[in-house]
């Protein structure tokens, strides 16, 4: 049997991580884990409870009492929060604009990393996020850091919104993405950062097929 490796995909918002991670996982029949969805699910619950997002103690109390399940669904990954599906709710602009404030807290990250590592104990996993190559799976056989200009990333989200029939303001998206990048890359604990041994891919002018091809080449080389 082929070796079942771990693949870590990191990068800023809308760099294409989840899109390509899902396809790579399908091709290899691996499990796909969207770690951002876990921070989003906690943020959603905290907002519903009216929690202060700057209170680490309150957030960790909530997290310790919360189950977050990621399940394969017909339209990609399904997210269950305490047994209830929240796949779409956690993509709201309110959650998107608040999640980085939740993700700064050390104890929250420690618990999330523990849960994420449990998903990966047997290998055969493609995991995307911000700190996968640096903290969650430091021994991953393949590490990729995806980049794209902020203009391109905002345009991608804008196109997505329009396709879904959602209202969308390109300039506002650009500002929101830049603000989230700043918090994610400047936080003290596990900031968004390329791992020293990660392969950087600038996807600004690449198609999804191009990016998947590059990651598959790296993976197949390691699988042997
Ligand atoms: O899909 P998008 O790139 O917009 O974001 P996401 O992957 O759903 O992640 C949402 C937020 O969760 C990020 O902006 C980070 O603040 C946080 N996050 C994190 O801190 N560490 C991770 N491994 C994944 C996400
Ligand atoms: O997970 P992350 O936030 O990094 O990005 P995503 O949600 O996978 O991708 C954002 C959007 O960019 C999606 O609509 C993709 O179809 C699109 N995309 C693209 O146009 N070109 C790429 N090379 C990768 C993604």
């Amino acid at each position: 049997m082929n070796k079942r490796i771990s693949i870590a995909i990191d990068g800023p918002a809308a760099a294409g991580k989840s899109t390509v991670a899902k396809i790579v996982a399908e091709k290899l029949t691996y499990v796909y884990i969207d770690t951002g969805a876990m921070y989003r699910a906690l943020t959603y619950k905290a907002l519903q409870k009216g929690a202060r997002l700057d209170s680490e103690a309150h957030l960790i109390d909530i997290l310790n009492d919360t189950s977050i399940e990621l399940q394969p669904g017909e339209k990609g990954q399904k997210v269950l929060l305490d047994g209830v599906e929240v796949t779409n709710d956690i993509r709201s602009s309110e959650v998107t604009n608040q999640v980085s404030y939740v993700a700064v807290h050390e104890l929250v990250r420690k618990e999330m990393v523990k849960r994420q590592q449990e998903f990966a104990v047997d290998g055969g996993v493609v995991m995307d996020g911000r700190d996968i190559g640096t903290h969650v799976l430091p021994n991953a056989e393949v590490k990729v850091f995806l980049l794209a200009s902020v203009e391109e990333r905002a345009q991608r989200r804008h196109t997505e919104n329009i396709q879904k029939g959602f209202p969308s303001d390109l300039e506002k998206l650009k500002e929101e993405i830049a603000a989230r990048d700043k918090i994610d890359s400047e936080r003290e604990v596990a900031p968004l950062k390329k791992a020293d041994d990660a392969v950087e891919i600038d996807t600004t002018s690449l198609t999804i097929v191009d990016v998947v091809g590059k990651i598959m080449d790296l993976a197949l080389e390691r699988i042997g």
Side-chain angles (χ1 to χ4, degrees), residues 9-18 32 34-40 43 90-91 95-96 98-104 109 112-113 116 127-132 136 153 157 177 180-181 183-184 187 189-192:
I9 303 183
D10 290 300
K17 301 179 299 298
S18 59
Y32 163 59
D34 172 359
T35 63
M38 298 172 70
Y39 290 95
R40 284 175 180 270
T43 306
I90 62 168
R91 306 276 153 203
V95 171
T96 301
Q98 299 297 325
V99 59
S100 291
Y101 297 104
V102 169
V104 294
R109 300 202 68 84
M112 290 295 194
V113 169
Q116 291 155 7
M127 199 177 279
D128 85 340
R130 302 292 188 287
D131 59 340
I132 311 304
V136 182
R153 292 185 284 127
R157 282 277 182 264
I177 286 179
R180 196 143 59 93
D181 284 355
I183 305 173
D184 289 345
R187 69 175 171 232
V189 190
L192 165 66

Side-chain angles (χ1 to χ4, degrees), residues 70-164:
L70 305 177
Q71 295 181 351
E74 271 170 36
K75 288 188 250 154
Q77 183 186 253
K78 262 188 0 186
V79 184
L80 304 186
L81 175 64
D82 298 325
V84 177
E85 183 169 2
V86 292
T87 313
N88 295 328
D89 308 85
I90 62 168
R91 306 276 153 203
S92 71
S93 56
E94 191 189 13
V95 171
T96 301
N97 291 327
Q98 299 297 325
V99 59
S100 291
Y101 297 104
V102 169
V104 294
H105 299 294
E106 184 167 14
L107 294 178
V108 168
R109 300 202 68 84
K110 208 168 156 196
E111 173 62 21
M112 290 295 194
V113 169
K114 189 176 122 223
R115 296 186 188 192
Q116 291 155 7
Q117 287 172 336
E118 282 164 10
F119 288 127
V121 278
D122 298 324
V125 71
V126 183
M127 199 177 279
D128 85 340
R130 302 292 188 287
D131 59 340
I132 311 304
T134 52
H135 288 86
V136 182
L137 303 176
N139 299 322
E141 286 84 352
V142 172
K143 295 185 186 178
V144 174
F145 194 79
L146 296 185
L147 282 171
S149 68
V150 70
E151 287 75 18
E152 170 66 20
R153 292 185 284 127
Q155 184 60 55
R156 288 176 184 175
R157 282 277 182 264
H158 186 56
T159 307
E160 246 176 29
N161 287 341
I162 289 172
Q163 279 168 353
K164 290 180 185 160

